[in-house]
Amino acid sequence: GQLDYVPDNWSELSFYELLKENGYHVGHAGKWGIHLPFHKNLDFNVEDDGWHYRKIGKKLWHITEKNEADALRFLATRPKDKPFFLNVAFFATHAKDSDIRQYMPQESSMEWYKDDTIPVPPTATQEAWGKMPYFFTNENEGRTRWGVRYSNYTLHQTMMKNYYRMATE
C-alpha cells in the first residue's frame, strides 16, 4: 500500500517533469510501485498492476497484454510533432502472494521451457540459509515467499519456469 506520509523531498522534480518542461510528451504505463502518491504532471498515466488476470469489460486480460495495450495506445495517440518519453513498467514478473500459483503466465507461453530443467542454486539449502545474517529469520517475508515458491524441487521447477515465461512474454 501507499505510505501514510510524503517525504519532504517528494516535491522535487522527477525526470518525467524535467522531460515535460523540455517539450516532451510524457507517459507512464504499468506498475508505479513506489508506494507514494503519483501526482507528477504526465500527459498519459495508466497505473495497472497487482494482478495477472482480470476481466475488463467483456475481455479477460493478462496484465502483460494490458500493459502492452496501454503503451501502444500512448504511441498511437501522442502528438507526432513532439519528442516523447514513455516508461513501460510491466507488472510481470511479480508474483501474487495471495494465490498459490504465484506466477501466472499467459496460456500461449505455457509450452516455453517445458522440457528445460532449471538448476537449483547451490545456496538453496538449509545449510546456506543458516549462514545468512541474523535479520533473515524464518519470520522474514522473503523466507516465507521462498518456502511457498522454492522449498522443494517440483515447486522450484514450476515457479521458475512460470517466472521465465512471464519474463519472456
Side-chain angles (χ1 to χ4, degrees):
Q2 292 198 352
L3 295 177
D4 295 331
Y5 67 93
V6 176
D8 294 337
N9 66 349
W10 188 239
S11 63
E12 292 178 8
L13 292 178
S14 69
F15 72 96
Y16 292 107
E17 292 162 309
L18 292 171
L19 288 168
K20 186 152 177 66
E21 284 181 0
N22 284 280
Y24 281 73
H25 187 76
V26 180
H28 172 86
K31 182 176 174 58
W32 173 233
I34 295 182
H35 304 294
L36 288 171
F38 193 86
H39 301 303
K40 303 303 181 182
N41 186 18
L42 298 180
D43 300 299
F44 181 92
N45 182 28
V46 180
E47 298 173 56
D48 241 330
D49 65 68
W51 53 276
H52 288 149
Y53 284 96
R54 176 179 288 164
K55 189 166 188 171
I56 302 172
K58 294 182 179 186
K59 179 176 173 57
L60 180 63
W61 288 86
H62 186 274
I63 187 63
T64 299
E65 287 181 295
K66 179 67 167 67
N67 293 155
E68 177 186 16
D70 292 333
L72 291 173
R73 186 162 42 99
F74 170 88
L75 293 172
T77 61
R78 70 175 178 81
K80 304 302 184 236
D81 61 341
K82 294 176 79 169
F84 69 90
F85 172 82
L86 173 64
N87 180 54
V88 183
F90 286 95
F91 177 72
T93 55
H94 294 78
K96 282 292 298 168
D97 287 332
S98 61
D99 192 303
I100 195 165
R101 296 170 295 174
Q102 300 284 297
Y103 300 105
M104 292 165 269
Q106 296 177 66
E107 193 60 39
S108 60
S109 67
M110 290 307 290
E111 290 296 311
W112 303 348
Y113 307 105
K114 185 176 79 174
D115 297 324
D116 294 326
T117 300
I118 311 300
V120 176
T123 55
T125 65
Q126 192 60 40
E127 179 185 357
W129 177 253
K131 294 178 181 177
M132 295 295 282
Y134 72 93
F135 49 83
F136 284 105
T137 66
N138 284 332
E139 287 76 39
N140 177 284
E141 183 62 25
R143 186 58 172 180
T144 301
R145 289 174 172 168
W146 183 88
V148 170
R149 297 175 192 161
Y150 312 113
S151 60
N152 65 54
Y153 181 82
T154 302
L155 272 176
H156 175 81
Q157 293 303 309
T158 300
M159 296 296 173
M160 290 304 300
K161 288 177 184 184
N162 283 343
Y163 177 87
Y164 288 164
R165 289 172 180 125
M166 291 179 75
T168 307
E169 294 174 336

